[in-house]
Amino acid sequence: MTTYKPAKNAQEQIEYLKTNKKITFNSIHEQQARDILFKYNYINVITPYKHHFSKFDKDGNEVKIDGKHIYERDVEFSEYFNLFKNERLQYPIIIIKNILGYELRFKSIMAYRILTSTEINDENKLVAYLESVRLRIPMNSDYSDSRLEHMNNHIKQLEKSISGYADIYCFFDRMSLGVSLTIFSGLDQGLQKQLLKDFKSLGMNFGVKNINNFIDKVFTLVAIRNCVMHCNSLEILVRYYNPATPN
């Protein structure tokens, strides 16, 4: 059974930072730092950026003693807080804006191609179509069992939600990018190729020509989207979860 570290209050966090991470509080004094940690959380302000200040060996590996990073200089709390603020500033200006634009076009074009190439005119036919998608996913790919289970759950949730939509266009429009990618992964390969051609014409194919490579690129985009939409740090995503390896 996994045991968790006991929670520290803001003052205890301040003392821990001074003792273990050589953090000083000059430009931002301790009371301000306590307020910042209370509002934004240690895991957001400190944890993602430790590697900017910790010691690395000549091979680029973080040096640790008894599982703890080594810090060779005093670090102002403001240095951490500036990294936190500057990363979050990029979210609405660059990342969210571009991802939402991509998501809108991806879902719209996919729905158009599906609905103009099939005859889904009632709920039963929609369920049958989703089932064909679900069964085709493992045939189209070599995804891990956990990823296949995740995609199966997407399909099951879609099937449960069908009765809540009077319009099939709304049904497709309300899907998240991740769920839309699940649908794409189980489409007939001919339709996948047509969609990839559509996306390439709009500069949305990430420069790849292979369907599975394209799916992996969008999978990475989904991971980034979910990270920024939950205001999490992309540094954590890249360093510990490695979104570029979806299997």
Side-chain angles (χ1 to χ4, degrees):
M1 181 178 67
T2 301
T3 57
Y4 302 118
K5 297 177 182 178
K8 292 180 173 64
N9 62 36
Q11 183 56 45
E12 289 170 334
Q13 291 173 18
I14 295 292
E15 296 303 321
Y16 178 82
L17 291 173
K18 290 194 291 188
T19 303
N20 294 278
K21 304 200 179 301
K22 302 189 73 171
I23 292 183
T24 56
F25 302 85
N26 295 307
S27 57
I28 294 178
H29 58 69
E30 291 188 21
Q31 180 57 55
Q32 290 174 307
R34 284 195 293 272
D35 291 342
I36 288 167
L37 292 172
F38 174 72
K39 287 188 290 185
Y40 301 117
N41 204 319
Y42 184 103
I43 199 170
N44 291 317
V45 177
I46 303 297
T47 302
Y49 312 108
K50 293 184 292 186
H51 65 280
H52 286 268
F53 309 106
S54 61
K55 183 178 180 180
F56 285 77
D57 62 25
K58 59 183 177 62
D59 296 319
N61 300 310
E62 291 175 281
V63 177
K64 293 183 179 182
I65 296 179
D66 296 329
K68 295 183 178 180
H69 294 88
I70 306 300
Y71 300 91
E72 297 184 298
R73 71 171 178 89
D74 290 346
V75 181
E76 274 289 319
F77 181 85
S78 60
E79 294 182 68
Y80 277 93
F81 190 48
N82 286 337
L83 287 169
F84 165 79
K85 289 189 296 182
N86 290 336
E87 184 179 21
R88 295 316 190 282
L89 283 174
Q90 302 307 309
Y91 290 1
I93 297 171
I94 299 175
I95 300 174
I96 293 176
K97 176 183 175 182
N98 286 293
I99 289 177
L100 291 183
Y102 188 97
E103 180 173 349
L104 175 60
R105 288 177 291 167
F106 183 94
K107 294 192 302 182
S108 298
I109 294 168
M110 186 180 72
Y112 175 85
R113 289 298 183 190
I114 290 173
L115 296 175
T116 57
S117 64
T118 58
E119 293 186 6
I120 307 175
N121 49 25
D122 61 40
E123 290 185 13
N124 290 333
K125 287 185 178 179
L126 181 53
V127 170
Y129 188 81
L130 292 174
E131 277 300 298
S132 71
V133 166
R134 185 181 67 80
L135 294 172
R136 202 179 288 117
I137 290 172
M139 294 188 289
N140 284 354
S141 65
D142 58 353
Y143 299 141
S144 65
D145 289 343
S146 61
R147 186 170 176 185
L148 288 174
E149 183 181 2
H150 185 65
M151 289 177 152
N152 277 333
N153 288 334
H154 278 169
I155 302 296
K156 289 177 183 177
Q157 291 301 316
L158 286 175
E159 291 174 347
K160 290 179 181 178
S161 70
I162 287 174
S163 60
Y165 296 91
D167 191 313
I168 194 170
Y169 295 98
C170 290
F171 175 78
F172 278 94
D173 183 64
R174 296 300 184 269
M175 291 182 192
S176 68
L177 181 59
V179 173
S180 297
L181 180 60
T182 292
I183 297 297
F184 180 91
S185 300
L187 294 177
D188 173 86
Q189 291 184 356
L191 185 52
Q192 286 182 333
K193 290 177 182 178
Q194 175 60 61
L195 283 165
L196 187 57
K197 183 179 178 180
D198 293 332
F199 296 141
K200 181 180 179 181
S201 72
L202 296 171
M204 295 173 58
N205 67 321
F206 303 100
V208 301
K209 299 178 181 179
N210 178 274
I211 295 294
N212 286 330
N213 288 343
F214 173 73
I215 290 172
D216 285 345
K217 293 290 186 182
V218 181
F219 188 90
T220 299
L221 187 66
V222 170
I224 295 170
R225 178 203 186 281
N226 292 341
C227 183
V228 299
M229 290 301 183
H230 291 97
C231 293
N232 300 135
S233 173
L234 287 173
E235 298 219 18
I236 291 288
L237 179 69
V238 172
R239 289 175 60 78
Y240 300 107
Y241 294 97
N242 195 1
T245 55
N247 289 332

